[in-house]
Amino acid sequence: MSLEEQIHQRVLGLDGVGTVYLADPVWLTAVKQLGTLIASGESKAPAPFVVCVEEESEGRSLLTVKVRIGTDGSVPAPAIARSVASEIRSLVGEAHPHKEVKAIVELAALGV
């Protein structure tokens, strides 16, 4: 299982998380799909739920992880965002202890 899939599954299991949405908004996903189709002539690429981007800068390795979630209303949204970010840092730290982690958690929907 890829790191993205592990993060997706772990985030879905957290208290207060109702769903994990595609990492990009629908309009951006559509634009990317169209670009892929035009550039390569192939069918659309799968749209990811979690996006991990690695960067090297000044001798440090940074992994940026982006996830968009919907809450179920059982836990305050700020607490869920902190919990998701902490879980991402923990999981990536276990798999890649030499990397710094930047977790971007977007709350796309708040449950009632």
Side-chain angles (χ1 to χ4, degrees):
M1 185 181 308
S2 72
L3 180 60
E4 289 86 351
E5 292 169 333
Q6 290 176 7
I7 292 169
H8 183 213
Q9 291 303 313
R10 188 88 66 89
V11 168
L12 273 174
L14 294 174
D15 288 340
V17 175
T19 190
V20 176
Y21 293 104
L22 293 175
D24 292 322
V26 174
W27 69 268
L28 185 54
T29 300
V31 169
K32 287 181 177 181
Q33 296 292 338
L34 181 60
T36 300
L37 183 62
I38 291 171
S40 65
E42 296 178 14
S43 62
K44 64 182 181 178
F49 289 96
V50 177
V51 174
C52 295
V53 177
E54 291 188 54
E55 299 175 45
E56 296 286 334
S57 176
E58 299 175 8
R60 34 178 267 213
S61 181
L62 175 68
L63 181 66
T64 301
V65 179
K66 180 181 175 187
V67 63
R68 295 175 73 227
I69 64 170
T71 68
D72 65 12
S74 65
V75 179
I80 293 171
R82 285 189 297 273
S83 177
V84 169
S86 176
E87 192 68 25
I88 289 169
R89 288 186 194 100
S90 174
L91 182 61
V92 173
E94 292 169 11
H96 304 284
H98 61 282
K99 294 187 186 293
E100 292 182 46
V101 181
K102 178 180 177 182
I104 300 172
V105 180
E106 182 179 330
L107 298 171
L110 301 176
V112 284

